[in-house]
């Protein structure tokens, strides 16, 4: 066996992952995730698409000034305006990358771009040439590469490498690839392009046919790729992207076959998964590989017997390897501020000031008075609530009372502030949550459509906080609101108001697909 080469892990949770409908994040939320990705030792963080909105621009700029150990990347279309905007956002970064792209499939060029192949070819060359003015680290992607003509791909990729592209990303934009075919297509490109050795080759796969991870690994093993583009929890539009946790643990667990190194600190995988799930409101399915609640659970008596006798009879990796531990210290109402602050550090939660730590600790004490044991998931949730409370909010929850009785129509009375002024309203509904939403709407009259109402227990047991996700749509805009509380009706009210706050935001997103 030869010495193991390194696979570069390129995380695009903050860009491609955010394109999931309802998964848009605030700047502070993006910063929290970026810090966790840095803690996990991700090689490249694609922090957003600078030209898409002022919010994305500011998020990339903030992350560029905070994260030091990872390369920070911004996406841009193949035009001077986008590239200059990306360069401006990345200016504070110690290590920066501009990732530019243009569609190369006949379908996309004709129907979407309305450009000839020659026009696309020239625009790609000029884009890379222009980007080189700002950084030596340039990535180029042929969008919808897996459905593109091989001769045209060879021509355009040879040209952009000659112009200075240092990474070539072979994008399976619509999840059309099949592992063997996708891997061989990439292999053929590298063999046919004379200067292919001058660039690192990358894979970016979508999961429309459930093969994103398999295609990515085939791109590495067959095609010679040395960078994998992925997201936490496989987050992404449509069926999602290649899941970071799956490719990383596949490479680590089956090193006997793959023989590659990854620089990821795998013990940070589960904390990252929980953070992204909590912020976006996209729950992780219980049987999800690596990070699902049942990933290391054994219900069968035969399996349990085997595990007790020898762990590796039914476990190919240890739960501790990905950040799960059965021996965590549980905090409670007698826990002090130092223990709480240490747990924040252990979870990779960095608060900017002592005032924020004190405010979070106060909320922790309030929660501890209502439930005896406080778990990591509770802390992540309450810190998120605390950070959201510092953001500019039009609506803010104050209090709620509701009554429901078999055979009677539920009634809710809610007090919430609107730009600092308290409003009181009552409503009726088919259930206590419906009554609460109707009470809020009687005042706000938002006209929003509720697309999703989801309740998940943050931890186990009847004392668990309920985490509610409300996904609202209005005028084509989709947002998630998240609320947590031991009382799920209160959590629902918080989630609905959170979503309304996001609908109030004037920022808009442009979602290019890769």
């Amino acid at each position: 066996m030869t010495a193991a080469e390194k696979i570069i892990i390129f995380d695009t949770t903050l860009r491609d992952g955010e394109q999931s409908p309802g998964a848009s994040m605030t700047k502070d939320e993006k910063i929290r995730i970026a810090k966790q990705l840095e803690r996990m030792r991700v090689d490249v963080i694609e922090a957003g698409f600078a030209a898409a909105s002022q919010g994305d621009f500011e998020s990339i700029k903030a992350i560029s000034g905070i994260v030091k150990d990872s390369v920070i990347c911004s996406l841009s279309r193949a035009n001077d305006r986008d590239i200059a905007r990306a360069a401006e956002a990345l200016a504070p970064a110690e290590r920066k990358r501009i990732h530019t792209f243009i569609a190369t499939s006949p379908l996309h060029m004709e129907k979407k771009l309305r450009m000839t192949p020659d026009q696309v070819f020239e625009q790609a060359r000029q884009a890379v040439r222009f980007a080189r003015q700002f950084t030596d680290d340039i990535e180029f992607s042929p969008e919808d590469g897996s459905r593109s003509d091989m001769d045209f791909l060879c021509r355009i990729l040879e040209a952009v490498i000659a112009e200075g592209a240092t990474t070539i990303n072979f994008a399976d934009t619509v999840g059309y690839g099949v592992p063997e075919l996708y891997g061989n297509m990439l292999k053929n490109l590298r063999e046919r392009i004379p200067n292919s050795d001058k660039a690192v080759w990358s894979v970016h796969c979508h999961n429309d046919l459930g093969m994103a991870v398999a295609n990515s690994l085939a791109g590495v093993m067959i095609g010679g790729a040395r960078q994998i583009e992925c997201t936490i929890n496989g987050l992404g539009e449509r069926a999602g992207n290649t899941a970071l946790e799956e490719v990383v643990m596949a490479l680590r667990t089956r090193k006997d076959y793959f023989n590659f190194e990854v620089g990821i600190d795998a013990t940070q995988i589960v904390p990252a998964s929980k953070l992204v799930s909590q912020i976006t409101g996209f729950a992780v399915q219980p049987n999800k590989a690596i990070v699902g609640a049942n990933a290391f659970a054994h219900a069968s008596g035969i399996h349990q017997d085997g595990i007790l006798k020898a762990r590796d009879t039914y476990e190919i990796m240890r739960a501790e390897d990905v950040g799960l531990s059965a021996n965590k210290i549980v905090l409670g109402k007698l826990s002090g501020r130092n223990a709480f602050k240490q747990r924040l550090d252990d979870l990779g939660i960095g608060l900017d000031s002592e005032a924020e730590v004190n405010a979070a600790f106060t909320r922790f004490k309030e929660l501890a008075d209502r439930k005896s044991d406080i778990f990591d998931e509770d802390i992540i949730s309450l810190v998120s609530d605390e950070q959201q409370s510092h953001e500019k909010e039009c609506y803010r929850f104050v209090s709620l009372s509701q009554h429901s009785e078999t055979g009677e129509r539920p009634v809710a009375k809610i007090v919430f502030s609107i730009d600092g002024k308290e409003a009181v309203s009552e409503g009726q509904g088919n259930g206590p949550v419906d009554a609460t939403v109707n009470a809020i709407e009687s005042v706000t009259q938002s006209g929003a459509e509720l697309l999703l109402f989801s309740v998940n227990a943050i931890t186990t047991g009847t004392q668990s906080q309920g985490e509610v996700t409300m996904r609202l749509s209005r005028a084509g805009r989709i947002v998630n609101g998240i609320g947590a509380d031991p009382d799920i009706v209160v959590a629902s009210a918080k989630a609905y108001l959170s979503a309304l706050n996001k609908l109030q935001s004037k920022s808009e997103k442009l979602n290019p697909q890769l």
Side-chain angles (χ1 to χ4, degrees), residues 205-472:
C205 300
H206 283 256
N207 205 39
D208 296 72
L209 294 176
M211 292 188 282
V213 170
N215 284 335
S216 296
L217 293 173
V220 168
M221 293 300 289
I222 301 173
R226 294 297 179 263
Q227 175 177 285
I228 298 176
E229 306 201 356
C230 44
T231 62
I232 301 296
N233 298 336
L235 187 69
E237 56 193 329
R238 304 188 315 276
N241 288 40
T242 299
L244 179 147
E245 60 276 4
E246 294 180 25
V247 290
V248 166
M249 293 312 294
L251 291 168
R252 286 169 58 101
T253 305
R254 292 306 310 274
K255 191 175 178 181
D256 61 312
Y257 173 72
F258 293 109
N259 193 31
F260 289 107
E261 295 285 353
V262 286
I264 297 294
D265 178 359
T267 64
Q268 295 301 319
I269 284 176
V270 166
S273 170
K274 289 178 178 178
L275 180 64
V276 170
S277 176
Q278 195 277 332
I279 285 176
T280 62
F282 281 68
V284 176
Q285 67 194 63
N287 62 331
K288 167 77 171 65
I290 315 300
V291 293
N294 295 342
F296 295 92
H298 303 275
S300 163
I302 294 173
H303 287 214
Q304 291 170 347
D305 179 64
I307 289 290
L308 291 172
K309 291 174 178 175
R311 193 170 179 176
D312 57 359
T313 54
Y314 287 101
E315 287 190 357
I316 61 173
M317 55 193 152
R318 302 182 309 161
E320 303 94 292
D321 294 340
V322 296
L324 286 169
S325 173
N327 299 314
K328 290 181 180 176
I329 298 172
V330 179
L331 300 181
K333 65 180 181 180
L334 300 180
S335 299
R337 184 180 179 281
N338 286 339
F340 175 73
K341 190 174 181 180
Q342 181 60 50
R343 183 54 56 85
L344 292 180
D345 291 339
D346 293 342
L347 292 172
I349 299 173
L351 297 179
D352 294 332
S353 66
E354 286 298 305
E356 287 189 357
V357 174
N358 291 336
F361 182 63
T362 299
R363 293 174 74 103
F364 160 75
K365 283 293 191 179
E366 292 171 354
L367 180 61
D369 283 335
R370 301 175 67 187
K371 65 191 299 277
S372 57
D373 295 330
I374 308 296
F375 297 90
D376 290 348
E377 294 85 351
D378 292 312
I379 294 173
I380 291 171
S381 178
L382 70 86
V383 169
S384 178
D385 278 352
E386 178 61 30
Q387 291 180 325
Q388 286 186 50
S389 70
H390 288 290
E391 297 172 7
K392 293 181 180 179
E393 293 180 318
C394 176
Y395 306 111
R396 189 169 184 184
F397 176 84
V398 177
S399 65
L400 173 72
S401 64
Q402 59 86 20
H403 176 79
S404 59
E405 181 179 343
T406 303
E408 299 292 333
R409 191 164 173 81
V411 178
K413 180 179 179 180
I414 186 168
V415 180
F416 62 102
S417 62
I418 306 175
D419 293 326
K421 296 181 180 180
E422 285 195 357
V424 181
S425 61
E426 294 188 6
Q428 296 183 346
N430 293 329
V433 173
D434 189 37
T436 300
V437 169
N438 289 339
I440 295 171
E441 277 296 314
S442 68
V443 174
T444 62
Q445 297 183 346
S446 71
E449 178 186 2
L450 180 62
L451 302 181
L452 173 72
F453 169 59
S454 172
V455 182
N456 292 289
I458 290 179
T459 56
T460 57
T462 56
Q463 284 193 346
S464 171
Q465 289 193 92
E467 184 175 76
V468 173
T469 300
M470 294 271 202
R471 185 169 300 154
L472 301 185

Side-chain angles (χ1 to χ4, degrees), residues 14 35 79 128 156 158 162 185 187 200 222 298 303 355 374 425 451 462 489 500 509:
L14 299 177
K35 287 180 177 179
N79 64 61
V128 173
I156 195 171
E158 179 181 358
M185 193 173 181
K187 179 183 178 183
V200 174
I222 301 173
H298 303 275
H303 287 214
I374 308 296
S425 61
L451 302 181
T462 56
V489 183
L500 290 182
K509 290 282 295 176

